[in-house]
Amino acid sequence: MSGQVAAQYYIRGDVTDAKRQPLQNVKIYMPATNTLYSSGVSGGFGIPSANIYDSLIFSLDGYVSQSIYFKTNEYQHVVLEKINATTHSGRQKLVSLTMGNEGNIFPIAYYNDESYSSLAENDFIKTTNEHNTQFSMRIDKASYSNVRRFINQNTRVPPDAVRIDEMLNYFNFNYKEPGEKNVFRIESQLSDCPWNKDHRLLFLNLSGRKLNLDHVPRSNLVFLIDVSGSMDLPNRLPLLKEAFQLLIKNLRSEDTVSIVTYGGSVGIWMQPTGGAEKEKISKAIEELTASGDTPGEAAIRTAYKLAESTFIQGGNNRIILATDGDFNIGQRNEKELEELIAKEKQTGVSLTCLGVGMGNYKDSKIEALSKKGNGNFAYIDDVKEAEKVLVTEFTQTLYSIASNVYVNVKFNPEFIKEYRLIGYDNKKSVIGEKSTELEGGEIGSGSGNTIIFEIVPSHIDSLADERINIADMTLHYHLPNDTLEQIVKHTCVQNYNTFKNINKDLQFAASVAMLGLKLRESKYFPEDVDWDTIKNIALQSLTPGNFLETEFTGLVDKCKEIYLDGKKKKHKKRQ
C-alpha cells in the first residue's frame, strides 16, 4: 500500500540557466522525504511524490539556490541564476545560508516539515578594518515562545529557530520611560563577559515611549485568519479564536474591525464593524471553522484592498494575519511573498503576524511577511501567550511609535580591537557595501530592546579611564505617517562595572543570550559552559514574582535533561 501511495504523483520538469541552457547534475532536495535527487544531461528530472502539493530545493555550485512549492501534476520549469558580483547588489543584509545534505547550501532549513530561514551567525569584526555596523530594530518576539514550545515538548530546538534578538525582546529588559519630549531613551553599560574572561559585553538599551490608550489614533483593523484544513487542531484555529476574543475587549467605539478568511476560498467574513459592537464581532469569530486549501496570496491581496477601502488618514491601519504559514495556493515561496508585501505596504497599512501550530509551521514565511510588511511577529503557543501579546502588550503589538528604525554603531578602534553583534543574524550590514540600504523595522508603544555586543578590548587596562568613548551609537527612525528621518545620538562611555554589580535586568539578559547561543550551537560559545551556569546567572538576577523569568529558569532545567539525554543515547549507540 505504501508503494502505491508513494507513486500516486510524479513530478516532471527541467532546470536551465537564465539563457535557457540545460543544467546537469543540479542537486534536487525533497524536504518531505529527506531525499536527494539530481537533474539529467538535458536538465530534466522526474521525482515520485505522495502529495498533490510538494516542495523541492534546487542547488548547484555557482548558482543561487531556489526553493519552490507547486502542484505535482504540473510540469515545472526551473531557472537558476548565476552568482556574480551584481547578484546581490543593492541588498544590505547578508544572505542567510545553511549547509545541507552533501554540502549543498540551502536558504531555508526544514525540520519535520517546519521551515525556518537559515541563519548566518555574525562574526567578530576587526575595528582596524571596518568599525561601523548597522542593524534593524524590531519588536519581534516570536522566536522565544517558539523555542519554549520545543523545550516544553521535550524536543531539541532547531538551531535556525533560535533568533537571540527576539529572545531578548520578549522580556522588555531594563525598560525606562523616556523624557516627556523624547520618543526614545538610550542607555549603555560595559561589563564582563560571563563566558570569556578576556572579553567584555556592551549592553545597549532602547526604551520606546508609552502611548496612552485613551489618546491613541483610531484603529482600522483587518483580521486575516487562516481557516484552511491545516488549522483544524486545538493549538491552531481554536487557540486563535481565543486570542482574538481577548483582543476585541480592548477595542473602542471609534475603532473599526473587519474579518477576511481563507480556506478553500477567500471571503470577507465580516464587513467593517465598529468596536462598540463587540457581541457581533465575538459571534463572527466564534463561528469560524477550518477546511480546504490555503490560498494565502489571494487572501493577502483581499485584506489589503479591504484595509485601503476603510483607510483612516493619520490612524492605525493594520492587518493582523493569523496562520501556521502553510500557504499552498498562489505565490508561496519567501521571495514571492516578500515582493507581494513590499508592494502592498506602500498603501500605509502595517502587518502584524501571529504564528501558531507545529509540525507544518512555516516560520520562514511568516517572518518574511512581517519584516517586509512594516510590522511585527509573535508566535502564540498557548492562551497565556495570547493574553501577553494581545492584552498585556496590546499597545506595543498594535500601535507603532516609530517605523523604519535602525541603529548604527561605530566603535573606537583605539580601545576596541574586535566586536561581535549577538543576534540580528539576518540583518547584519554587508561590510564594505557603502551604497546599500538598510530596511528598518517597526517599534511599538512601550517596547524595550536590549542589544548585546561581545567586544575584545585592545588591552584590558585601556578601559580604565571613564572619560573614554568606546563607541558612538546613532538611532534612525521615522514618526508614524511622517517621511522626515529623525536621528538620536548616544555616546557609549567607558562605564565598566563588574558583572555582579550591574543592573539585574542586564544580568538576566546575558543568561537569555547564553541560552540562545548554546541552543544555536554557536561556534563563539564555549562548549564547557554548562546549563547550570546559565541557570545560576538567571537565578541570581531574576525579579521576585516575575513569572516569565521564573519560567525561563525551568526551561534551562528542561534543556539540561533533553540535551544531556541526547548525548547519553549517542554514546550508547557508539558502544
Side-chain angles (χ1 to χ4, degrees):
M1 180 65 71
S2 59
Q4 293 175 346
V5 173
Q8 187 173 358
Y9 303 100
Y10 201 68
I11 307 165
R12 295 184 184 278
D14 62 83
V15 191
T16 69
D17 62 16
K19 296 181 179 179
R20 300 285 179 173
Q21 295 300 308
L23 294 177
Q24 183 181 358
N25 293 324
V26 174
K27 301 299 182 185
I28 307 172
Y29 176 63
M30 178 179 278
T33 59
N34 196 31
T35 310
L36 195 65
Y37 301 90
S38 60
S39 60
V41 177
S42 63
F45 59 88
I47 300 171
S49 173
N51 307 306
I52 183 61
Y53 292 97
D54 215 325
S55 61
L56 295 173
I57 301 173
F58 298 80
S59 61
L60 180 65
D61 288 343
Y63 291 83
V64 179
S65 298
Q66 187 175 149
S67 172
I68 63 171
Y69 193 94
F70 51 85
K71 199 169 184 178
T72 51
N73 61 5
E74 296 176 354
Y75 190 86
Q76 302 301 314
H77 178 64
V78 181
V79 179
L80 298 185
E81 295 181 4
K82 278 191 174 182
I83 296 175
N84 52 51
T86 60
T87 299
H88 300 295
S89 64
R91 293 186 184 179
Q92 194 282 329
K93 293 182 285 189
L94 286 176
V95 178
S96 298
L97 300 172
T98 286
M99 298 301 293
N101 290 349
E102 296 191 4
N104 298 306
I105 297 175
F106 301 130
I108 302 297
Y110 290 86
Y111 303 90
N112 297 325
D113 206 30
E114 296 192 11
S115 70
Y116 296 90
S117 297
S118 302
L119 300 176
E121 190 172 19
N122 290 325
D123 295 317
F124 275 100
I125 304 298
K126 293 183 181 296
T127 56
T128 52
N129 298 327
E130 180 60 57
H131 54 277
N132 187 64
T133 194
Q134 297 177 344
F135 49 97
S136 300
M137 292 301 302
R138 287 187 164 85
I139 59 167
D140 295 347
K141 305 174 182 182
S143 181
Y144 183 84
S145 47
N146 189 32
V147 164
R148 178 177 62 198
R149 183 251 300 186
F150 279 102
I151 297 171
N152 283 334
Q153 292 175 335
N154 294 314
T155 305
R156 286 185 169 231
V157 182
D160 285 315
V162 182
R163 296 188 288 272
I164 297 173
D165 45 301
E166 293 183 20
M167 294 179 68
L168 292 169
N169 287 348
Y170 188 83
F171 292 88
N172 248 39
F173 285 125
N174 204 32
Y175 179 84
K176 294 179 182 177
E177 183 75 27
E180 186 177 344
K181 296 182 179 180
N182 298 326
V183 178
F184 291 101
R185 175 174 179 153
I186 303 172
E187 293 186 336
S188 56
Q189 176 67 59
L190 182 69
S191 188
D192 304 304
C193 177
W195 60 89
N196 189 324
K197 63 182 179 62
D198 296 324
H199 291 184
R200 294 285 185 262
L201 294 184
L202 175 64
F203 296 90
L204 301 177
N205 266 103
L206 185 67
S207 300
R209 177 201 299 160
K210 286 182 181 177
L211 298 176
N212 185 329
L213 190 56
D214 295 330
H215 299 98
V216 295
R218 290 193 298 139
S219 288
N220 166 34
L221 304 177
V222 177
F223 298 168
L224 177 53
I225 305 176
D226 182 351
V227 294
S228 62
S230 66
M231 297 291 288
D232 192 20
L233 287 170
N235 64 346
R236 298 183 193 184
L237 184 57
L239 177 57
L240 284 175
K241 287 163 71 172
E242 287 188 75
F244 280 109
Q245 295 287 13
L246 291 169
L247 187 154
I248 62 175
K249 293 178 181 178
N250 274 321
L251 295 176
R252 302 162 303 172
S253 59
E254 59 264 37
D255 297 327
T256 302
V257 175
S258 315
I259 301 177
V260 174
T261 60
Y262 61 105
S265 62
V266 177
I268 298 177
W269 184 259
M270 186 183 77
Q271 292 288 345
T273 302
E277 297 186 66
K278 289 183 173 55
E279 189 174 334
K280 177 183 176 181
I281 302 170
S282 177
K283 185 171 184 279
I285 292 170
E286 198 54 44
E287 291 176 349
L288 293 171
T289 57
S291 65
D293 293 321
T294 318
E297 176 199 352
I300 289 169
R301 292 185 187 278
T302 301
Y304 271 100
K305 188 174 181 180
L306 183 58
E308 288 176 58
S309 71
T310 52
F311 191 86
I312 299 173
Q313 198 65 39
N316 177 34
N317 298 279
R318 186 175 299 269
I319 294 170
I320 303 175
L321 168 62
T323 178
D324 60 9
D326 193 18
F327 306 144
N328 54 29
I329 301 290
Q331 293 176 336
R332 294 168 296 269
N333 67 43
E334 285 70 20
K335 183 178 180 181
E336 289 176 329
L337 290 169
E338 283 186 357
E339 290 173 352
L340 170 62
I341 295 299
K343 291 177 183 177
E344 296 290 358
K345 80 171 183 179
Q346 301 304 320
T347 61
V349 178
S350 299
L351 178 68
T352 289
C353 294
L354 305 178
V356 294
M358 62 185 72
N360 70 331
Y361 173 56
K362 301 298 185 287
D363 180 276
S364 60
K365 293 180 180 178
I366 306 175
E367 183 195 17
L369 290 171
S370 67
K371 284 179 170 52
K372 284 294 179 182
N374 194 29
N376 51 71
F377 175 27
Y379 177 83
I380 298 178
D381 54 342
D382 56 27
V383 175
K384 285 183 180 178
E385 184 64 19
E387 186 174 12
K388 177 179 183 290
V389 172
L390 298 175
V391 179
T392 307
E393 298 173 354
F394 176 76
T395 56
Q396 193 178 127
T397 302
L398 297 185
Y399 290 92
S400 171
I401 60 167
S403 61
N404 198 26
V405 185
Y406 70 94
V407 169
N408 183 91
V409 179
K410 185 173 184 178
F411 284 89
N412 186 340
E414 185 178 351
F415 302 101
I416 306 301
K417 184 179 179 181
E418 296 179 61
Y419 67 90
R420 191 177 91 80
L421 176 62
I422 297 176
Y424 301 91
D425 293 323
N426 284 327
K427 309 177 197 72
K428 180 182 177 183
S429 298
V430 177
I431 302 301
E433 290 191 16
K434 297 179 181 178
S435 63
T436 58
E437 293 183 6
L438 180 69
E439 184 177 43
E442 178 190 65
I443 297 293
S445 165
S447 62
N449 294 81
T450 296
I451 305 149
I452 303 178
F453 281 95
E454 182 177 355
I455 63 176
V456 183
S458 298
H459 303 284
I460 293 293
D461 294 340
S462 71
L463 296 180
D465 189 343
E466 293 185 4
R467 295 171 297 178
I468 293 171
N469 294 345
I470 61 173
D472 291 313
M473 171 183 168
T474 308
L475 173 68
H476 301 254
Y477 68 94
H478 289 79
L479 294 172
N481 305 307
D482 193 347
T483 58
L484 181 66
E485 182 178 61
Q486 307 288 330
I487 297 177
V488 179
K489 294 186 178 182
H490 173 80
T491 299
C492 302
V493 298
Q494 191 296 103
N495 59 352
Y496 168 80
N497 205 343
T498 59
F499 188 76
K500 69 178 181 179
N501 288 325
I502 62 173
N503 184 292
K504 294 295 184 183
D505 267 10
L506 299 183
Q507 293 178 33
F508 202 98
S511 70
V512 173
M514 291 170 74
L515 177 65
L517 289 166
K518 196 165 181 67
L519 292 175
R520 274 200 54 71
E521 301 171 358
S522 170
K523 63 182 178 181
Y524 299 110
F525 192 71
E527 290 186 16
D528 59 358
V529 177
D530 58 24
W531 304 102
D532 287 337
T533 300
I534 299 172
K535 180 186 175 182
N536 288 337
I537 292 175
L539 283 174
Q540 291 165 15
S541 57
L542 67 76
T543 304
N546 187 309
F547 169 77
L548 294 177
E549 293 184 5
T550 302
E551 179 189 51
F552 174 84
T553 63
L555 293 178
V556 179
D557 275 337
K558 289 181 181 179
C559 284
K560 180 179 178 180
E561 295 176 11
I562 294 167
Y563 284 80
L564 291 183
D565 283 350
K567 284 186 177 181
K568 289 176 183 177
K569 289 175 183 176
K570 286 183 181 179
H571 181 68
K572 286 182 180 179
K573 286 181 180 179
R574 291 194 191 101
Q575 291 179 328

